[in-house]
Amino acid sequence: MDFRTIIAKRREGIAHSEEELRAIANGAASGEIPDYQLSAWLMAAYLKPLTDAETAMFTLAMAKSGEHVDLTGVPKPWVDKHSTGGVGDKTTLVLAPLLAACGLSVIKMSGRGLGITGGTIDKLTCIPGFSSNLTPADMVAQAKKIGIAVAGQSHYLAPADKALYALRDVTETVGSLPLIVSSILSKKIAGGAETVVLDVKCGTGSFNPTIDHAEKLAAALTRVGQQAGLKVFAAITDMNQPLGSAVGNALEVQEAIRVLSLPESELSSNSKRFRELCRYFGALALRVSGMAGSGSEALARIEDTLQSGRALEKARQWIAAQGGTVDLTDDSWLPRSTLQEIYTTHTSGCVAKVDAKIIGEIALEIGAGRKSKADEIDLAVGLELHVKVGDFVTVGQPLATIHAQSSEQLEYAKEWLLMAIQVQNAPVLPLPIVVRPA
Ligand code: URA
């Protein structure tokens, strides 16, 4: 097939056949189509978006461009959870053991962080001995034994997405809705998923700045997922302020362990908000997989699994199974920065803004994230936020603790915290954590 014809069809907005979409996916995965032609097609697809039917066919073609994880023998129900990415998003660390402790099988491939968006695999790197380097066969074997396995994205799954994503990144075509949808769903299908609960983030710290954009993405993921044979349940959640109190790898692991271990009354108000999100997605997963008959039954089961310590016990089993050699009752093994400084408010009033984007950029700049894929990250640095939107504060009250390695980093963080956290006279009504339920 002459790839110039495929580019020309897209440029004119003429629908692709299934065979053409398969040729694009397979040619991207094998490297047979040169980058300059794929880039031209991507820009054409950005300007003349794929229809839902084309997107579903392209999703399946990308999913079939590499290996497929065969979950045969893993006890059902299987549920995968995916987040479109945000600042302080450590949900998988709590939700995966929580769901496995409720009897679901959780097999999850996660990514490393890039830009202001953190990645689960980086957070897990904080645990001494823990390995995310499992083959699909290792993951299946582990899930059969203990109901949970979390590993880095396999290079063998949906290789077409890997090739196309790298080109989208450098050709300003990441933002195309059908390309985002096929990228996310192809990896889920190749990973063996049947049911996916999706956390579509909306706000300054996500790639959906407006609710309108998030609604469109959530609806497209659900529609196209259905056409591609997946059950997708997408909720929109707030990412105008970071999720929970911790932003930074070791700090986020510490917060996740606290949420799994402590009664709600002993958590900070930000961690309570994070716990609420975990409860919501936990209950949603139980409901959509038929493990609970109603929302209230599902929530009660999630709450009981957290409070009884069964979720924490599952986290212990999971970490040990993947080589982690730590005691979860004592977090002294977590990497710690050399400097900590409390940042306080100069004004009294109501917290109007804790800008997730600026907080994410501070964490990135002091080393918690990577600007390009090859960057090393510092697991110990980051921020702990002590307030959230709608809280009332008085002069001198701590707003955040900065965890840094140098006085320059502390100064940088303080300068930008002034912009990130705004306090005003008038009361502010915060957005709920779940902005639009699935
Ligand atoms: N996450 C993905 O996996 N792909 C995208 O295109 C965007 C977010």
Side-chain angles (χ1 to χ4, degrees), residues 311-358:
L312 179 66
E313 178 49 34
K314 187 54 76 178
R316 271 200 199 99
Q317 286 176 21
W318 163 39
I319 290 168
Q322 292 190 223
T325 52
V326 292
D327 175 1
L328 294 185
T329 56
D330 159 25
D331 57 23
S332 58
W333 44 268
L334 277 166
R336 267 170 225 280
S337 64
T338 46
L339 301 173
Q340 281 103 40
E341 188 170 318
I342 293 174
Y343 173 82
T344 58
T345 176
H346 310 292
T347 32
S348 299
C350 183
V351 177
K353 187 170 95 167
V354 183
D355 193 307
K357 181 164 194 270
I358 305 176

Side-chain angles (χ1 to χ4, degrees), residues 82-85 153 161 165 168 173-188 207 217:
H82 181 82
S83 157
T84 58
Q153 192 69 46
D161 177 60
Y165 195 88
R168 286 166 61 204
T173 53
V174 168
S176 156
L177 215 65
L179 295 180
I180 295 173
V181 168
S182 54
S183 166
I184 293 175
L185 296 183
S186 61
K187 287 175 287 200
K188 298 286 145 199
F207 67 74
L217 178 59

